[in-house]
Short mmCIF file of all heavy atoms in Angstrom, two decimals:
data_model
loop_
_atom_site.label_atom_id
_atom_site.label_comp_id
_atom_site.label_asym_id
_atom_site.label_seq_id
_atom_site.Cartn_x
_atom_site.Cartn_y
_atom_site.Cartn_z
N ASN A 1 -10.40 -89.12 -70.87
CA ASN A 1 -10.13 -90.52 -71.07
C ASN A 1 -8.76 -90.95 -70.55
O ASN A 1 -7.99 -90.11 -70.06
CB ASN A 1 -10.36 -90.88 -72.50
CG ASN A 1 -9.37 -90.31 -73.48
OD1 ASN A 1 -8.19 -90.12 -73.06
ND2 ASN A 1 -9.70 -90.11 -74.67
N MET A 2 -8.54 -92.21 -70.61
CA MET A 2 -7.27 -92.71 -70.08
C MET A 2 -6.02 -92.05 -70.72
O MET A 2 -4.99 -91.78 -70.03
CB MET A 2 -7.23 -94.20 -70.27
CG MET A 2 -6.05 -94.92 -69.62
SD MET A 2 -6.28 -94.93 -67.83
CE MET A 2 -4.90 -95.93 -67.36
N LEU A 3 -6.07 -91.80 -72.00
CA LEU A 3 -4.93 -91.19 -72.68
C LEU A 3 -4.70 -89.79 -72.11
O LEU A 3 -3.55 -89.38 -71.87
CB LEU A 3 -5.24 -91.10 -74.19
CG LEU A 3 -4.14 -90.40 -75.04
CD1 LEU A 3 -2.82 -91.13 -74.89
CD2 LEU A 3 -4.59 -90.42 -76.50
N GLN A 4 -5.81 -89.03 -71.92
CA GLN A 4 -5.64 -87.69 -71.37
C GLN A 4 -5.06 -87.70 -70.02
O GLN A 4 -4.25 -86.84 -69.61
CB GLN A 4 -6.97 -87.00 -71.40
CG GLN A 4 -7.48 -86.67 -72.85
CD GLN A 4 -8.92 -86.31 -72.84
OE1 GLN A 4 -9.76 -86.70 -72.03
NE2 GLN A 4 -9.29 -85.44 -73.81
N LEU A 5 -5.46 -88.66 -69.23
CA LEU A 5 -4.95 -88.84 -67.85
C LEU A 5 -3.47 -89.11 -67.83
O LEU A 5 -2.72 -88.50 -67.08
CB LEU A 5 -5.69 -90.04 -67.17
CG LEU A 5 -5.52 -90.17 -65.70
CD1 LEU A 5 -6.19 -89.03 -64.91
CD2 LEU A 5 -6.18 -91.52 -65.29
N VAL A 6 -3.03 -90.00 -68.69
CA VAL A 6 -1.62 -90.31 -68.82
C VAL A 6 -0.81 -89.09 -69.24
O VAL A 6 0.22 -88.74 -68.67
CB VAL A 6 -1.33 -91.46 -69.78
CG1 VAL A 6 0.13 -91.61 -70.11
CG2 VAL A 6 -1.87 -92.80 -69.18
N GLN A 7 -1.35 -88.37 -70.24
CA GLN A 7 -0.64 -87.14 -70.71
C GLN A 7 -0.67 -86.05 -69.67
O GLN A 7 0.34 -85.42 -69.39
CB GLN A 7 -1.32 -86.69 -72.00
CG GLN A 7 -1.07 -87.65 -73.15
CD GLN A 7 -1.91 -87.30 -74.36
OE1 GLN A 7 -2.92 -86.61 -74.34
NE2 GLN A 7 -1.38 -87.71 -75.57
N LYS A 8 -1.78 -85.80 -69.04
CA LYS A 8 -1.93 -84.68 -68.08
C LYS A 8 -0.99 -84.89 -66.90
O LYS A 8 -0.40 -83.91 -66.43
CB LYS A 8 -3.39 -84.63 -67.58
CG LYS A 8 -3.61 -83.57 -66.58
CD LYS A 8 -5.06 -83.52 -66.17
CE LYS A 8 -5.30 -82.45 -65.04
NZ LYS A 8 -6.69 -82.46 -64.58
N HIS A 9 -0.77 -86.08 -66.44
CA HIS A 9 0.05 -86.36 -65.28
C HIS A 9 1.45 -86.77 -65.67
O HIS A 9 2.19 -87.23 -64.76
CB HIS A 9 -0.69 -87.31 -64.34
CG HIS A 9 -2.00 -86.81 -63.82
ND1 HIS A 9 -2.03 -85.86 -62.81
CD2 HIS A 9 -3.24 -87.04 -64.16
CE1 HIS A 9 -3.29 -85.54 -62.57
NE2 HIS A 9 -4.05 -86.21 -63.35
N SER A 10 1.73 -86.74 -66.95
CA SER A 10 3.08 -87.13 -67.45
C SER A 10 3.50 -88.49 -66.86
O SER A 10 4.64 -88.72 -66.39
CB SER A 10 4.10 -86.09 -67.03
OG SER A 10 3.81 -84.85 -67.57
N LEU A 11 2.55 -89.41 -66.87
CA LEU A 11 2.83 -90.74 -66.36
C LEU A 11 3.80 -91.48 -67.29
O LEU A 11 3.74 -91.27 -68.55
CB LEU A 11 1.55 -91.53 -66.21
CG LEU A 11 0.49 -90.98 -65.28
CD1 LEU A 11 -0.77 -91.79 -65.27
CD2 LEU A 11 1.06 -90.85 -63.89
N ASN A 12 4.68 -92.29 -66.77
CA ASN A 12 5.72 -92.87 -67.53
C ASN A 12 5.28 -94.27 -68.06
O ASN A 12 5.59 -95.29 -67.45
CB ASN A 12 6.98 -93.03 -66.71
CG ASN A 12 8.19 -93.50 -67.48
OD1 ASN A 12 8.13 -93.41 -68.69
ND2 ASN A 12 9.15 -94.01 -66.83
N PHE A 13 4.56 -94.23 -69.21
CA PHE A 13 4.20 -95.44 -69.92
C PHE A 13 4.79 -95.26 -71.33
O PHE A 13 4.13 -94.76 -72.20
CB PHE A 13 2.70 -95.63 -69.98
CG PHE A 13 2.07 -95.86 -68.63
CD1 PHE A 13 1.12 -94.97 -68.17
CD2 PHE A 13 2.28 -97.00 -67.91
CE1 PHE A 13 0.52 -95.20 -66.93
CE2 PHE A 13 1.70 -97.23 -66.71
CZ PHE A 13 0.83 -96.30 -66.21
N PRO A 14 6.06 -95.65 -71.55
CA PRO A 14 6.73 -95.39 -72.83
C PRO A 14 5.92 -95.93 -73.99
O PRO A 14 5.42 -97.06 -74.00
CB PRO A 14 8.00 -96.15 -72.69
CG PRO A 14 8.29 -96.27 -71.21
CD PRO A 14 6.90 -96.36 -70.59
N GLY A 15 5.66 -95.08 -74.95
CA GLY A 15 4.91 -95.44 -76.17
C GLY A 15 3.43 -95.37 -76.10
O GLY A 15 2.72 -95.50 -77.09
N PHE A 16 2.90 -95.17 -74.89
CA PHE A 16 1.43 -95.20 -74.67
C PHE A 16 0.83 -94.04 -75.48
O PHE A 16 1.23 -92.91 -75.40
CB PHE A 16 1.11 -95.06 -73.21
CG PHE A 16 -0.35 -95.22 -72.89
CD1 PHE A 16 -0.79 -96.43 -72.41
CD2 PHE A 16 -1.25 -94.20 -73.00
CE1 PHE A 16 -2.16 -96.61 -72.10
CE2 PHE A 16 -2.59 -94.32 -72.72
CZ PHE A 16 -3.03 -95.59 -72.22
N GLY A 17 -0.22 -94.40 -76.26
CA GLY A 17 -0.99 -93.36 -76.96
C GLY A 17 -0.21 -92.77 -78.17
O GLY A 17 -0.40 -91.64 -78.52
N ALA A 18 0.46 -93.62 -78.88
CA ALA A 18 1.24 -93.16 -80.06
C ALA A 18 0.45 -92.45 -81.08
O ALA A 18 0.89 -91.48 -81.69
CB ALA A 18 2.03 -94.36 -80.69
N CYS A 19 -0.79 -92.88 -81.31
CA CYS A 19 -1.60 -92.21 -82.39
C CYS A 19 -2.53 -91.13 -81.80
O CYS A 19 -3.34 -90.61 -82.53
CB CYS A 19 -2.43 -93.25 -83.15
SG CYS A 19 -3.89 -93.84 -82.23
N LYS A 20 -2.37 -90.84 -80.54
CA LYS A 20 -3.10 -89.78 -79.89
C LYS A 20 -4.60 -90.01 -79.88
O LYS A 20 -5.35 -89.08 -80.01
CB LYS A 20 -2.68 -88.41 -80.43
CG LYS A 20 -1.26 -88.06 -80.23
CD LYS A 20 -0.94 -86.69 -80.69
CE LYS A 20 0.50 -86.28 -80.45
NZ LYS A 20 1.54 -87.24 -80.28
N GLY A 21 -5.03 -91.27 -79.84
CA GLY A 21 -6.44 -91.56 -79.72
C GLY A 21 -7.19 -91.68 -81.04
O GLY A 21 -8.38 -91.75 -81.02
N SER A 22 -6.47 -91.74 -82.12
CA SER A 22 -7.12 -91.78 -83.43
C SER A 22 -7.43 -93.27 -83.95
O SER A 22 -7.82 -93.49 -85.06
CB SER A 22 -6.34 -91.07 -84.52
OG SER A 22 -5.04 -91.67 -84.68
N LEU A 23 -7.21 -94.17 -82.98
CA LEU A 23 -7.47 -95.64 -83.30
C LEU A 23 -6.59 -96.12 -84.40
O LEU A 23 -7.08 -96.88 -85.29
CB LEU A 23 -8.98 -95.91 -83.53
CG LEU A 23 -9.85 -95.87 -82.30
CD1 LEU A 23 -11.33 -95.95 -82.67
CD2 LEU A 23 -9.47 -97.03 -81.38
N ALA A 24 -5.36 -95.73 -84.42
CA ALA A 24 -4.47 -96.16 -85.48
C ALA A 24 -3.24 -96.95 -84.92
O ALA A 24 -2.30 -97.17 -85.63
CB ALA A 24 -3.95 -94.98 -86.29
N CYS A 25 -3.26 -97.19 -83.61
CA CYS A 25 -2.23 -98.02 -83.02
C CYS A 25 -2.90 -98.88 -81.93
O CYS A 25 -4.08 -98.94 -81.73
CB CYS A 25 -1.14 -97.11 -82.40
SG CYS A 25 -1.62 -96.27 -80.87
N CYS A 26 -2.07 -99.60 -81.22
CA CYS A 26 -2.63 -100.39 -80.11
C CYS A 26 -1.75 -100.19 -78.82
O CYS A 26 -1.77 -101.04 -77.91
CB CYS A 26 -2.74 -101.84 -80.44
SG CYS A 26 -1.22 -102.59 -80.99
N THR A 27 -1.01 -99.07 -78.84
CA THR A 27 -0.13 -98.84 -77.68
C THR A 27 -0.82 -98.51 -76.42
O THR A 27 -0.21 -98.55 -75.36
CB THR A 27 0.87 -97.72 -77.98
OG1 THR A 27 0.09 -96.50 -78.25
CG2 THR A 27 1.68 -97.99 -79.20
N CYS A 28 -2.11 -98.30 -76.44
CA CYS A 28 -2.91 -97.99 -75.27
C CYS A 28 -3.71 -99.21 -74.75
O CYS A 28 -4.60 -99.08 -73.96
CB CYS A 28 -3.82 -96.82 -75.53
SG CYS A 28 -5.06 -97.21 -76.83
N HIS A 29 -3.40 -100.40 -75.32
CA HIS A 29 -4.02 -101.63 -74.95
C HIS A 29 -3.98 -101.84 -73.46
O HIS A 29 -2.90 -101.84 -72.87
CB HIS A 29 -3.44 -102.79 -75.73
CG HIS A 29 -3.99 -104.11 -75.37
ND1 HIS A 29 -3.29 -105.29 -75.37
CD2 HIS A 29 -5.26 -104.52 -74.90
CE1 HIS A 29 -4.05 -106.31 -75.04
NE2 HIS A 29 -5.26 -105.82 -74.78
N LEU A 30 -5.17 -102.07 -72.87
CA LEU A 30 -5.28 -102.39 -71.42
C LEU A 30 -6.03 -103.69 -71.26
O LEU A 30 -6.97 -103.94 -71.98
CB LEU A 30 -6.02 -101.26 -70.70
CG LEU A 30 -5.48 -99.83 -70.81
CD1 LEU A 30 -6.47 -98.92 -70.16
CD2 LEU A 30 -4.11 -99.75 -70.10
N ILE A 31 -5.62 -104.44 -70.30
CA ILE A 31 -6.34 -105.65 -69.89
C ILE A 31 -6.99 -105.37 -68.53
O ILE A 31 -6.21 -105.14 -67.56
CB ILE A 31 -5.49 -106.90 -69.89
CG1 ILE A 31 -5.00 -107.20 -71.29
CG2 ILE A 31 -6.25 -108.13 -69.40
CD1 ILE A 31 -3.91 -108.28 -71.36
N LEU A 32 -8.28 -105.28 -68.52
CA LEU A 32 -8.98 -104.76 -67.34
C LEU A 32 -9.48 -105.99 -66.47
O LEU A 32 -9.76 -107.03 -67.01
CB LEU A 32 -10.18 -103.89 -67.71
CG LEU A 32 -9.79 -102.78 -68.66
CD1 LEU A 32 -11.11 -102.07 -69.15
CD2 LEU A 32 -8.92 -101.74 -67.92
N ASP A 33 -9.69 -105.67 -65.19
CA ASP A 33 -10.38 -106.63 -64.32
C ASP A 33 -11.80 -106.74 -64.86
O ASP A 33 -12.39 -105.75 -65.32
CB ASP A 33 -10.42 -106.10 -62.88
CG ASP A 33 -9.09 -106.18 -62.16
OD1 ASP A 33 -8.23 -107.00 -62.67
OD2 ASP A 33 -8.88 -105.49 -61.19
N LYS A 34 -12.41 -107.90 -64.72
CA LYS A 34 -13.69 -108.22 -65.25
C LYS A 34 -14.71 -107.19 -64.68
O LYS A 34 -15.62 -106.73 -65.35
CB LYS A 34 -14.08 -109.64 -64.92
CG LYS A 34 -15.41 -110.09 -65.50
CD LYS A 34 -15.66 -111.56 -65.20
CE LYS A 34 -17.00 -112.02 -65.86
NZ LYS A 34 -17.29 -113.42 -65.52
N GLU A 35 -14.60 -106.89 -63.39
CA GLU A 35 -15.54 -106.00 -62.74
C GLU A 35 -15.49 -104.56 -63.32
O GLU A 35 -16.53 -103.91 -63.53
CB GLU A 35 -15.26 -105.92 -61.21
CG GLU A 35 -15.49 -107.19 -60.48
CD GLU A 35 -14.32 -108.22 -60.71
OE1 GLU A 35 -13.17 -107.76 -60.96
OE2 GLU A 35 -14.59 -109.46 -60.63
N VAL A 36 -14.29 -104.16 -63.67
CA VAL A 36 -14.14 -102.83 -64.27
C VAL A 36 -14.70 -102.84 -65.72
O VAL A 36 -15.43 -101.96 -66.18
CB VAL A 36 -12.66 -102.40 -64.26
CG1 VAL A 36 -12.43 -101.13 -65.06
CG2 VAL A 36 -12.13 -102.24 -62.85
N PHE A 37 -14.26 -103.90 -66.47
CA PHE A 37 -14.69 -104.04 -67.82
C PHE A 37 -16.21 -103.93 -67.99
O PHE A 37 -16.73 -103.32 -68.86
CB PHE A 37 -14.20 -105.37 -68.40
CG PHE A 37 -14.52 -105.58 -69.85
CD1 PHE A 37 -13.67 -105.13 -70.84
CD2 PHE A 37 -15.64 -106.34 -70.20
CE1 PHE A 37 -14.00 -105.34 -72.18
CE2 PHE A 37 -15.96 -106.54 -71.52
CZ PHE A 37 -15.09 -106.05 -72.50
N GLN A 38 -16.97 -104.61 -67.06
CA GLN A 38 -18.39 -104.70 -67.18
C GLN A 38 -19.08 -103.40 -66.89
O GLN A 38 -20.23 -103.18 -67.26
CB GLN A 38 -18.92 -105.76 -66.20
CG GLN A 38 -18.51 -107.18 -66.64
CD GLN A 38 -18.91 -108.19 -65.62
OE1 GLN A 38 -18.97 -107.98 -64.43
NE2 GLN A 38 -19.09 -109.49 -66.09
N LYS A 39 -18.38 -102.44 -66.26
CA LYS A 39 -19.00 -101.16 -65.97
C LYS A 39 -18.81 -100.11 -67.10
O LYS A 39 -19.44 -99.06 -67.09
CB LYS A 39 -18.35 -100.54 -64.71
CG LYS A 39 -18.68 -101.32 -63.45
CD LYS A 39 -17.91 -100.77 -62.23
CE LYS A 39 -18.24 -101.54 -60.98
NZ LYS A 39 -17.47 -101.11 -59.83
N LEU A 40 -18.02 -100.44 -68.09
CA LEU A 40 -17.74 -99.49 -69.13
C LEU A 40 -18.81 -99.53 -70.25
O LEU A 40 -19.53 -100.50 -70.35
CB LEU A 40 -16.38 -99.80 -69.76
CG LEU A 40 -15.20 -99.75 -68.81
CD1 LEU A 40 -13.90 -100.24 -69.49
CD2 LEU A 40 -15.03 -98.29 -68.36
N ASP A 41 -18.86 -98.45 -71.08
CA ASP A 41 -19.70 -98.52 -72.17
C ASP A 41 -19.25 -99.58 -73.19
O ASP A 41 -18.12 -99.97 -73.17
CB ASP A 41 -19.64 -97.13 -72.90
CG ASP A 41 -20.31 -96.03 -72.13
OD1 ASP A 41 -21.19 -96.32 -71.27
OD2 ASP A 41 -19.89 -94.83 -72.30
N PRO A 42 -20.18 -100.00 -74.05
CA PRO A 42 -19.77 -101.08 -74.99
C PRO A 42 -18.66 -100.63 -75.92
O PRO A 42 -18.48 -99.43 -76.22
CB PRO A 42 -21.05 -101.35 -75.77
CG PRO A 42 -22.14 -100.75 -74.99
CD PRO A 42 -21.56 -99.62 -74.12
N VAL A 43 -17.98 -101.57 -76.45
CA VAL A 43 -16.84 -101.33 -77.39
C VAL A 43 -17.41 -100.93 -78.73
O VAL A 43 -18.31 -101.54 -79.25
CB VAL A 43 -15.99 -102.58 -77.59
CG1 VAL A 43 -14.77 -102.32 -78.50
CG2 VAL A 43 -15.50 -103.14 -76.23
N SER A 44 -16.91 -99.85 -79.35
CA SER A 44 -17.43 -99.36 -80.62
C SER A 44 -16.83 -100.33 -81.76
O SER A 44 -15.85 -101.04 -81.55
CB SER A 44 -16.95 -97.99 -80.91
OG SER A 44 -15.53 -97.92 -81.11
N GLU A 45 -17.46 -100.25 -82.90
CA GLU A 45 -16.98 -101.05 -84.02
C GLU A 45 -15.56 -100.65 -84.38
O GLU A 45 -14.71 -101.50 -84.69
CB GLU A 45 -17.88 -100.84 -85.22
CG GLU A 45 -19.19 -101.54 -85.16
CD GLU A 45 -19.00 -103.09 -85.07
OE1 GLU A 45 -18.16 -103.66 -85.85
OE2 GLU A 45 -19.78 -103.77 -84.28
N ASN A 46 -15.22 -99.35 -84.35
CA ASN A 46 -13.84 -98.93 -84.71
C ASN A 46 -12.86 -99.40 -83.67
O ASN A 46 -11.78 -99.81 -84.07
CB ASN A 46 -13.86 -97.37 -84.76
CG ASN A 46 -14.54 -96.82 -85.97
OD1 ASN A 46 -14.70 -97.50 -87.01
ND2 ASN A 46 -15.05 -95.60 -85.89
N GLU A 47 -13.21 -99.40 -82.39
CA GLU A 47 -12.24 -99.91 -81.42
C GLU A 47 -12.13 -101.47 -81.62
O GLU A 47 -11.00 -102.00 -81.50
CB GLU A 47 -12.75 -99.65 -79.97
CG GLU A 47 -11.83 -100.08 -78.91
CD GLU A 47 -12.27 -99.78 -77.49
OE1 GLU A 47 -13.29 -99.07 -77.32
OE2 GLU A 47 -11.63 -100.23 -76.55
N LEU A 48 -13.18 -102.12 -81.88
CA LEU A 48 -13.12 -103.57 -82.12
C LEU A 48 -12.20 -103.94 -83.29
O LEU A 48 -11.40 -104.84 -83.25
CB LEU A 48 -14.50 -104.15 -82.41
CG LEU A 48 -15.34 -104.72 -81.25
CD1 LEU A 48 -16.64 -105.29 -81.80
CD2 LEU A 48 -14.54 -105.81 -80.55
N ASP A 49 -12.33 -103.10 -84.36
CA ASP A 49 -11.43 -103.29 -85.49
C ASP A 49 -9.94 -103.19 -85.14
O ASP A 49 -9.15 -103.99 -85.60
CB ASP A 49 -11.74 -102.29 -86.60
CG ASP A 49 -13.07 -102.57 -87.37
OD1 ASP A 49 -13.60 -103.62 -87.15
OD2 ASP A 49 -13.56 -101.69 -88.05
N MET A 50 -9.58 -102.23 -84.23
CA MET A 50 -8.24 -102.07 -83.88
C MET A 50 -7.85 -103.16 -82.87
O MET A 50 -6.74 -103.73 -82.93
CB MET A 50 -7.96 -100.71 -83.22
CG MET A 50 -6.50 -100.45 -82.89
SD MET A 50 -5.33 -100.78 -84.15
CE MET A 50 -5.80 -99.61 -85.42
N LEU A 51 -8.75 -103.59 -82.05
CA LEU A 51 -8.46 -104.69 -81.13
C LEU A 51 -8.18 -105.97 -81.88
O LEU A 51 -7.36 -106.81 -81.45
CB LEU A 51 -9.58 -104.88 -80.11
CG LEU A 51 -9.67 -103.86 -78.98
CD1 LEU A 51 -10.95 -104.00 -78.20
CD2 LEU A 51 -8.45 -104.05 -77.98
N ASP A 52 -8.80 -106.13 -83.00
CA ASP A 52 -8.58 -107.30 -83.87
C ASP A 52 -7.15 -107.37 -84.32
O ASP A 52 -6.63 -108.50 -84.69
CB ASP A 52 -9.51 -107.31 -85.11
CG ASP A 52 -10.93 -107.78 -84.72
OD1 ASP A 52 -11.10 -108.31 -83.65
OD2 ASP A 52 -11.82 -107.54 -85.57
N LEU A 53 -6.44 -106.25 -84.38
CA LEU A 53 -5.05 -106.18 -84.86
C LEU A 53 -4.07 -106.17 -83.67
O LEU A 53 -2.88 -106.02 -83.90
CB LEU A 53 -4.88 -104.92 -85.74
CG LEU A 53 -5.82 -104.78 -86.95
CD1 LEU A 53 -5.60 -103.47 -87.63
CD2 LEU A 53 -5.55 -105.95 -87.90
N THR A 54 -4.57 -106.23 -82.49
CA THR A 54 -3.75 -106.04 -81.27
C THR A 54 -3.28 -107.43 -80.76
O THR A 54 -4.02 -108.35 -80.69
CB THR A 54 -4.58 -105.31 -80.17
OG1 THR A 54 -4.95 -104.07 -80.73
CG2 THR A 54 -3.69 -105.03 -78.97
N CYS A 55 -1.99 -107.48 -80.35
CA CYS A 55 -1.45 -108.69 -79.80
C CYS A 55 -1.93 -108.86 -78.36
O CYS A 55 -2.01 -107.90 -77.58
CB CYS A 55 0.06 -108.65 -79.82
SG CYS A 55 0.80 -108.62 -81.44
N GLY A 56 -2.14 -110.10 -77.98
CA GLY A 56 -2.44 -110.43 -76.58
C GLY A 56 -3.82 -109.98 -76.10
O GLY A 56 -4.02 -109.81 -74.89
N VAL A 57 -4.74 -109.87 -77.03
CA VAL A 57 -6.11 -109.41 -76.63
C VAL A 57 -6.74 -110.46 -75.75
O VAL A 57 -6.62 -111.72 -76.05
CB VAL A 57 -6.93 -109.13 -77.85
CG1 VAL A 57 -8.37 -108.87 -77.53
CG2 VAL A 57 -6.35 -107.89 -78.58
N THR A 58 -7.45 -110.03 -74.74
CA THR A 58 -8.21 -110.95 -73.89
C THR A 58 -9.72 -110.53 -73.94
O THR A 58 -10.05 -109.51 -74.56
CB THR A 58 -7.76 -110.91 -72.41
OG1 THR A 58 -8.23 -109.65 -71.85
CG2 THR A 58 -6.26 -111.02 -72.34
N ALA A 59 -10.50 -111.26 -73.25
CA ALA A 59 -11.97 -110.96 -73.22
C ALA A 59 -12.28 -109.59 -72.53
O ALA A 59 -13.31 -109.02 -72.68
CB ALA A 59 -12.73 -112.06 -72.51
N THR A 60 -11.30 -109.13 -71.78
CA THR A 60 -11.52 -107.84 -71.07
C THR A 60 -10.55 -106.75 -71.57
O THR A 60 -10.20 -105.84 -70.81
CB THR A 60 -11.38 -107.99 -69.53
OG1 THR A 60 -10.06 -108.50 -69.24
CG2 THR A 60 -12.42 -108.99 -69.03
N SER A 61 -10.07 -106.91 -72.78
CA SER A 61 -9.18 -105.86 -73.36
C SER A 61 -9.96 -104.67 -73.82
O SER A 61 -11.07 -104.82 -74.31
CB SER A 61 -8.42 -106.46 -74.57
OG SER A 61 -7.42 -107.39 -74.18
N ARG A 62 -9.37 -103.50 -73.62
CA ARG A 62 -9.89 -102.25 -74.18
C ARG A 62 -8.68 -101.41 -74.59
O ARG A 62 -7.61 -101.60 -74.13
CB ARG A 62 -10.72 -101.44 -73.13
CG ARG A 62 -12.00 -102.12 -72.75
CD ARG A 62 -13.03 -102.22 -73.78
NE ARG A 62 -13.37 -100.97 -74.46
CZ ARG A 62 -14.46 -100.23 -74.08
NH1 ARG A 62 -15.25 -100.65 -73.15
NH2 ARG A 62 -14.73 -99.11 -74.73
N LEU A 63 -9.02 -100.40 -75.45
CA LEU A 63 -8.03 -99.43 -75.79
C LEU A 63 -8.22 -98.16 -74.87
O LEU A 63 -9.32 -97.61 -74.84
CB LEU A 63 -8.13 -99.05 -77.25
CG LEU A 63 -7.79 -100.22 -78.21
CD1 LEU A 63 -8.04 -99.83 -79.62
CD2 LEU A 63 -6.41 -100.74 -78.00
N GLY A 64 -7.17 -97.88 -74.10
CA GLY A 64 -7.32 -96.85 -73.10
C GLY A 64 -7.71 -95.49 -73.62
O GLY A 64 -8.41 -94.78 -72.90
N CYS A 65 -7.38 -95.16 -74.86
CA CYS A 65 -7.75 -93.87 -75.41
C CYS A 65 -9.24 -93.75 -75.62
O CYS A 65 -9.77 -92.69 -75.84
CB CYS A 65 -7.01 -93.60 -76.64
SG CYS A 65 -7.48 -94.69 -78.08
N GLN A 66 -9.96 -94.86 -75.57
CA GLN A 66 -11.40 -94.82 -75.82
C GLN A 66 -12.22 -94.87 -74.55
O GLN A 66 -13.46 -94.85 -74.59
CB GLN A 66 -11.81 -96.03 -76.73
CG GLN A 66 -11.04 -96.06 -78.02
CD GLN A 66 -11.25 -94.81 -78.85
OE1 GLN A 66 -12.41 -94.47 -79.16
NE2 GLN A 66 -10.19 -94.10 -79.11
N LEU A 67 -11.55 -95.02 -73.39
CA LEU A 67 -12.27 -95.10 -72.12
C LEU A 67 -12.49 -93.76 -71.50
O LEU A 67 -11.53 -92.93 -71.42
CB LEU A 67 -11.43 -96.00 -71.14
CG LEU A 67 -11.07 -97.36 -71.64
CD1 LEU A 67 -10.28 -98.11 -70.58
CD2 LEU A 67 -12.31 -98.11 -71.99
N CYS A 68 -13.66 -93.49 -71.07
CA CYS A 68 -13.97 -92.22 -70.41
C CYS A 68 -14.24 -92.42 -68.93
O CYS A 68 -14.56 -93.47 -68.45
CB CYS A 68 -15.17 -91.52 -71.02
SG CYS A 68 -14.83 -91.08 -72.74
FE1 FES B 101 -3.67 -95.34 -80.55
FE2 FES B 101 -5.35 -95.65 -78.49
S1 FES B 101 -3.73 -94.33 -78.68
S2 FES B 101 -5.42 -96.60 -80.44
#
């Protein structure tokens, strides 16, 4: 997933993935292009619950740790 990609390649996104994918933070919040968003699996209830607590959410927001 996106979190593993950031960690594997030591990409410099300060704070990204603070909860290591346990859906307890929103540091992995991504705003995707509509075309990309539509190709992904549906958002789970747990991800939706965390997105509800995330600032700046848009119609194409996802949590990067949940994307495969
Ligand atoms: Fe915390 Fe994604 S890393 S919700």
Side-chain angles (χ1 to χ4, degrees):
N1 66 30
M2 187 70 177
L3 178 58
Q4 292 167 328
L5 191 67
V6 169
Q7 291 172 334
K8 179 178 178 183
H9 296 284
S10 300
L11 300 177
N12 187 20
F13 295 115
F16 188 97
C19 77
K20 299 184 175 24
S22 63
L23 285 171
C25 74
C26 56
T27 60
C28 62
H29 177 210
L30 302 173
I31 298 173
L32 305 171
D33 287 339
K34 187 176 179 182
E35 296 77 27
V36 174
F37 182 87
Q38 291 173 333
K39 292 178 182 174
L40 299 173
D41 290 336
V43 183
S44 71
E45 285 297 320
N46 289 336
E47 185 179 351
L48 266 181
D49 288 346
M50 184 50 63
L51 281 169
D52 283 344
L53 302 174
T54 303
C55 294
V57 171
T58 73
T60 61
S61 287
R62 292 295 303 264
L63 295 176
C65 68
Q66 304 301 302
L67 304 180
C68 295

